[in-house]
């Protein structure tokens, strides 16, 4: 028997505050936009935290970095309005670039201690064959922050936040982009909203690229729902923070 097997799977829909940490500006919505739209509908406060500046994937290479950043922000705000995102925070690490993992972990610790979410979402850093370091580092930094939250000797990037933090119950970490889900969310009622949000991401996809993405997601959502009583699913690995260390 493992600790993981006796801990109940945290119920993401019991969350009042949800922090969704993504490496790039569209990952939350690509992986779990339906889940987030449903969480918002259920009354949760939705906060997106984007780790990188995302400048490498911008299709129009004639844009200056400043123009590209504005285009990305325009897309993100439009998509966020569709899903119902309450707050967008950007950390601005260089997309696919060289940055310090521990600096990122300190920033994520800061926002978890400051915002006190009930559930934090992130990419599964243990996804087999994931080559993109931004995804691996983001997921791992969230997982580590979840287990180090109460250890105030492990400083965040903001001493004032650490000084004010008196603890809170983080109920779980929900990993998306996972091959080992322990739950599949019925996102059929939110599928139109998810597609509408993804259509806002125009800086990063040309029209054929966007159609290809939507085709792949359509297929994957149906695959994820196989054997379920619903039509479309988003797979998640949701773990209690205590299940994120030593596999006891
Ligand atoms: Zn990404």
């Amino acid at each position: 028997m493992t600790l993981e097997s006796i801990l109940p799977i945290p119920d993401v829909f019991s969350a009042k505050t949800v922090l969704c940490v993504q490496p790039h500006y569209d990952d939350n919505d690509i992986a779990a936009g339906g889940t987030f739209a449903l969480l918002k509908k259920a009354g949760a406060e939705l906060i997106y935290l984007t780790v990188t500046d995302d400048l490498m994937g911008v299709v129009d290479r004639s844009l200056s970095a400043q123009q590209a950043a504005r285009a990305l922000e325009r897309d993100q705000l439009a998509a966020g309005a569709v899903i119902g995102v309450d707050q967008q925070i950007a950390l601005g690490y260089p997309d696919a670039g060289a940055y310090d993992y521990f600096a990122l972990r300190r920033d994520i610790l800061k926002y978890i201690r400051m915002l006190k979410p009930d559930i934090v979402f992130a990419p599964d850093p243990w996804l087999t064959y994931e080559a993109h370091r931004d995804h691996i580092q983001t997921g791992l930094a969230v997982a580590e922050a979840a287990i180090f939250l109460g250890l105030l000797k492990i400083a965040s990037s903001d001493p004032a936040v650490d000084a004010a933090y008196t603890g809170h119950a983080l109920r779980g970490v929900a990993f998306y982009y996972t091959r080992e889900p322990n739950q599949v969310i019925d996102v059929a009622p939110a599928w139109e909203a998810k597609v509408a949000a993804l259509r806002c991401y125009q800086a990063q996809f040309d029209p054929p690229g966007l159609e290809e993405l939507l085709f792949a997601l359509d297929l994957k959502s149906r695959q994820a729902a196989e054997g379920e009583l619903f039509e479309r699913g988003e797979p998640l690995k949701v773990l209690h923070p205590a299940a994120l260390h030593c596999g006891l």
Side-chain angles (χ1 to χ4, degrees), residues 11-230:
D11 174 14
V12 295
F13 285 96
S14 70
K16 298 266 181 289
T17 304
V18 179
L19 178 62
C20 315
V21 186
Q22 59 182 352
H24 306 108
Y25 84 145
D26 50 4
D27 287 309
N28 282 339
D29 291 341
I30 290 173
T35 302
F36 297 139
L38 292 172
L39 276 164
K40 178 66 189 177
K41 228 176 175 178
E45 183 188 10
L46 276 184
I47 304 160
Y48 278 18
L49 177 65
T50 305
V51 167
T52 73
D53 60 22
D54 218 342
L55 289 175
M56 295 303 117
V58 173
V59 177
D60 183 353
R61 287 195 280 164
S62 71
L63 297 180
S64 68
Q66 213 177 24
Q67 289 168 324
R70 270 205 299 272
L72 291 166
E73 195 186 350
R74 174 204 65 204
D75 292 356
Q76 196 169 40
L77 289 175
V82 176
I83 299 293
V85 178
D86 293 286
Q87 195 184 342
Q88 300 268 8
I89 302 165
L91 296 180
Y93 286 91
D95 186 10
Y99 54 89
D100 182 46
Y101 167 76
F102 293 98
L104 171 60
R105 195 182 76 183
R106 283 194 293 276
D107 276 340
I108 290 176
L109 260 178
K110 168 188 163 178
Y111 283 103
I112 297 179
R113 286 178 181 158
M114 194 169 85
L115 301 166
K116 302 184 180 69
D118 304 299
I119 301 279
V120 183
F121 282 76
D124 184 345
W126 300 285
L127 172 69
T128 45
Y129 310 109
E130 173 55 77
H132 204 315
R133 187 176 289 266
D134 290 340
H135 282 229
I136 298 164
Q137 298 210 125
T138 298
L140 190 58
V142 167
E144 279 207 309
I147 64 170
F148 295 151
L149 200 53
L151 302 177
L152 286 161
K153 280 189 176 179
I154 301 179
S156 84
S157 55
D158 189 336
V161 168
D162 293 354
Y165 185 68
T166 52
H168 86 287
L170 175 65
R171 290 186 213 157
V173 179
F175 294 110
Y176 55 72
Y177 291 148
T178 185
R179 283 192 220 282
E180 295 183 58
N182 57 5
Q183 59 177 275
V184 180
I185 307 295
D186 171 7
V187 291
W191 193 253
E192 274 179 36
K194 173 168 177 159
V195 170
L198 293 176
R199 287 195 184 282
C200 298
Y201 290 109
Q202 292 171 10
Q204 187 116 289
F205 296 100
D206 56 16
L210 189 59
E211 292 314 312
E212 225 169 87
L213 172 72
L214 293 174
F215 177 79
L217 292 176
D218 175 74
L219 202 70
K220 287 211 87 140
S221 73
R222 291 175 192 278
Q223 272 174 358
E226 269 169 27
E228 307 281 356
L229 295 172
F230 47 83

